Amino acid sequence: MTDTLTPIRPGTLIINGEAVDAASGRTFTTMNPATEEPLVAVAEAGAEDVDRAVKAARAAFESGPWPKMKPAERQKALFRLGDLILAHGDELARLETLDNGKPIFESRQIDVPMVANCFHYFAGWATKLAGETLPVNPAFFTYTLREPLGVVGAIIPWNFPMIMVGWKAAPALAAGNCVILKPAELTPLTAIRIAELALEAGLPAGVFNVLPGKGSVAGEAMVRHPGVDKITFTGSTEVGRHIMKTAADTLKKVTLELGGKSPNIVFADADLDQAVRGAMNGIFYGKGEVCAAGSRLLVESSVHDEFVGRLAERAQKIQPADPLDPKSRLGALVSQAQMEKVLGYVETGTKEGATLVAGGRRQPVNGKGWFVQATVLDRVENTMRVAQEEIFGPVLSVIRFDDVEDAVRKANDIVYGLAAGVWTRDVKKAHAVARRLQAGTVWINAYNFYDAAMPFGGTKASGFGRDLGPESLREYSQVKSVWVSIE
Ligand code: NAI
Ligand code: MG
């Protein structure tokens, strides 16, 4: 399907309410993963631009209209931004699909509503964040104020370029902060567009700034800058670890949402039709480039052969297709490097002794694109690299287990702790296993559900802190205790 709609505008930085070029004049090119062709040039922020953005955000936080606005006015502006995102849904979805390679069905039906959901939900919190009066001593009136942190730096990945804007910026802004967001260099376009819509919605200049650019340059400068009070990051565990060390110099607060290798556990007493669909959705949604992907499928031995047979048959039917085709359910991986990494893991898996039962190869669409088939590796042992390392692509590793103890042991025997799935008709087993899993999210008879009202984040090497839900507001605010002598 050829794309003949309006041309895409070159990307700019958004600093202090204005679309500007980088101080250096540098640009980089963002690519369309489905065609391997350049999409458009984007301004590339350097350290000087980070400094400009920090000055703008600090001024907006300290002396601009933002802190003087009534919470109800901030609420209205954020709610309007949610509305504008919905009103521009077709445009945003198309940009996201062209830049990232994900199916337009996902961008339009899942990503756009989710970003809007974040701004609508957190808008409501702007008027509900409150301190407490505390009974301490009759001689004092004692209370707490819940205050914003100041300037929040958000560094986000390429797998959910616009959803991550909602996850990070919406709660930070609702709590009264100003934000500088650095999108991933592979997918900068939707964040820039949302920052423009934020101005239209009435967010004052400098409150929400966007700096496309390299992680090692613009990202690094944000983490080092003394004018940034907090870094909220989603991305690889390796970069998360580096950010945490670097942030120590200026004692920045950090929230890290990192990698995963989440177990999706199918017990023999599950509704197997439902579980097959859940296993597929768990790994093939978002091309498997999903931090919470159910990439380790644990199947009880007694149903293993039947289950894997059904799964392989269905996986072979999912064909990579043009992401702009509304029927496409498997898009292109984000970059050639990511595709090569994923295919490399398929090879590693078979060398380690796993059996390839579906997919496993690159499959260009119309002769082009970084598409990889829906892939299932069976006979995986939990100690293999394809069981322990994040592949971040449409590759499922299937591992057998014998009973509840074996399932829980294998599920937790990993450095990560982001999410998990449990499939069973036994209510007691479902809840008991959910308690024992080391994960920030557990889905029972479901997988890959998200909502702005539900906290999301990890434990162990998957990081700490929470996005979304009331929990996330604690990540973007702090408490001040006030003592008033009344005697
Ligand atoms: P990455 O962790 O390098 O990128 C995430 C963000 O961090 C990007 O905006 C990047 O520009 C920024 N960044 C990179 N280096 C930085 C630095 N020194 N200081 C500040 N910011 C920096 O992830 P990458 O290289 O794109 O993907 C590599 C692997 O990481 C993937 O194959 C996947 O396994 C994992 N990953 C996990 C994600 C998750 O949601 N958990 C998301 C993206 C990648
Ligand atoms: Mg791109």
Side-chain angles (χ1 to χ4, degrees):
M1 194 172 289
T2 48
D3 183 46
T4 51
L5 292 167
T6 40
I8 296 170
R9 283 185 287 134
T12 62
L13 317 183
I14 306 285
I15 300 178
N16 208 21
E18 284 173 29
V20 294
D21 292 328
S24 66
R26 286 177 74 113
T27 59
F28 64 102
T29 303
T30 188
M31 304 286 289
N32 179 345
T35 60
E36 304 174 50
E37 281 161 12
L39 268 177
V40 76
V42 179
E44 180 179 331
E48 202 178 319
D49 304 302
V50 170
D51 196 52
R52 277 201 288 169
V54 172
K55 285 202 176 94
R58 287 235 73 88
F61 180 73
E62 278 151 25
S63 52
W66 189 237
K68 296 188 196 93
M69 278 164 78
K70 287 183 185 156
E73 289 170 331
R74 289 206 296 262
Q75 170 171 328
K76 262 191 206 155
L78 291 170
F79 202 88
R80 266 197 304 267
L81 177 51
D83 287 347
L84 282 172
I85 287 165
L86 289 181
H88 289 78
D90 289 339
E91 178 197 351
L92 287 167
R94 176 173 166 269
L95 272 185
E96 193 81 327
T97 283
L98 290 172
D99 212 3
N100 166 284
K102 65 171 71 191
I104 193 76
F105 165 77
E106 292 181 10
S107 304
R108 187 68 189 90
Q109 307 303 330
I110 300 168
D111 298 16
V112 166
M114 176 82 205
V115 201
N117 173 228
C118 287
F119 284 101
H120 286 146
Y121 172 81
F122 285 107
W125 273 110
T127 47
K128 286 149 202 92
L129 275 178
E132 291 176 294
T133 57
L134 298 147
V136 173
N137 179 332
F140 287 90
F141 170 45
T142 35
Y143 65 97
T144 59
L145 293 169
R146 184 158 285 279
E147 299 183 332
L149 301 176
V151 174
V152 171
I155 300 176
I156 62 170
W158 42 257
N159 53 342
F160 290 99
M162 77 174 140
I163 283 187
M164 285 298 126
V165 174
W167 283 34
K168 305 292 193 192
L173 294 168
N177 300 282
C178 292
V179 172
I180 303 171
L181 181 135
K182 195 202 81 63
E185 43 274 64
L186 294 171
T187 54
L189 300 179
T190 41
I192 300 169
R193 191 68 190 106
I194 292 172
E196 291 171 348
L197 295 177
L199 292 165
E200 222 177 284
L203 267 75
V207 170
F208 183 35
N209 308 276
V210 171
L211 298 180
K214 287 198 180 112
S216 55
V217 181
E220 187 82 21
M222 272 168 65
V223 180
R224 292 191 185 278
H225 203 296
V228 175
D229 300 288
K230 160 154 196 157
I231 294 287
T232 175
F233 172 78
T234 295
S236 62
T237 297
E238 186 190 357
V239 172
R241 201 173 274 131
H242 171 73
I243 284 176
M244 191 169 168
K245 281 186 193 151
T246 311
D249 288 338
T250 45
L251 289 174
K252 278 185 189 52
K253 296 158 194 70
V254 289
T255 296
L256 302 175
E257 199 260 275
L258 310 174
K261 189 78 185 179
S262 299
N264 199 1
I265 310 172
V266 180
F267 287 101
D269 60 8
D271 175 335
L272 293 187
D273 285 332
Q274 204 189 33
V276 169
R277 283 197 299 276
M280 306 272 295
N281 162 44
I283 188 66
F284 301 129
Y285 165 64
K287 312 163 255 166
E289 292 169 335
V290 178
C291 52
S295 49
R296 275 191 305 149
L297 186 74
L298 270 53
V299 184
E300 190 160 354
S301 291
S302 57
V303 293
H304 170 273
D305 293 355
E306 184 200 340
F307 195 84
V308 175
R310 283 207 235 171
L311 194 66
E313 195 187 314
R314 288 185 70 140
Q316 279 155 4
K317 287 194 185 131
I318 310 181
Q319 293 295 313
D322 180 348
L324 287 171
D325 181 343
K327 291 203 197 74
S328 173
R329 293 293 180 273
L330 186 59
L333 299 199
V334 75
S335 66
Q336 182 168 354
Q338 191 62 26
M339 176 189 73
E340 281 164 4
K341 176 181 164 182
V342 169
L343 293 172
Y345 268 111
V346 175
E347 206 183 313
T348 304
T350 48
K351 275 195 191 135
E352 284 180 305
T355 312
L356 191 61
V357 294
R361 281 205 284 274
R362 179 180 188 181
Q363 184 173 315
V365 173
N366 304 321
K368 284 188 182 162
W370 300 309
F371 297 88
V372 173
Q373 296 169 332
T375 301
V376 180
L377 288 169
D378 191 20
R379 298 181 183 282
V380 173
E381 299 293 334
N382 203 42
T383 48
M384 291 180 184
R385 283 185 61 199
V386 289
Q388 293 289 320
E389 296 174 20
E390 187 175 54
I391 298 175
F392 229 60
V395 179
L396 183 63
S397 298
V398 186
I399 301 162
R400 326 164 63 108
F401 68 86
D402 296 326
D403 53 23
V404 170
E405 285 310 309
D406 194 30
V408 171
R409 187 179 57 76
K410 284 179 173 147
N412 290 337
D413 186 12
I414 187 115
V415 291
Y416 296 113
L418 195 55
V422 179
W423 300 85
T424 175
R425 285 193 175 101
D426 181 336
V427 175
K428 280 191 190 176
K429 194 196 283 179
H431 291 284
V433 170
R435 286 191 188 187
R436 295 177 63 191
L437 292 172
Q438 297 165 348
T441 293
V442 178
W443 288 290
I444 294 172
N445 296 327
Y447 207 92
N448 264 337
F449 281 80
Y450 306 89
D451 192 278
M454 199 66 170
F456 182 87
T459 183
K460 296 160 71 182
S462 296
F464 51 82
R466 291 292 176 267
D467 286 314
L468 307 179
E471 277 305 308
S472 66
L473 294 156
R474 286 199 200 121
E475 312 274 347
Y476 298 112
S477 60
Q478 58 197 340
V479 160
K480 179 183 282 168
S481 298
V482 184
W483 295 70
V484 187
S485 167
I486 53 171
E487 272 182 9

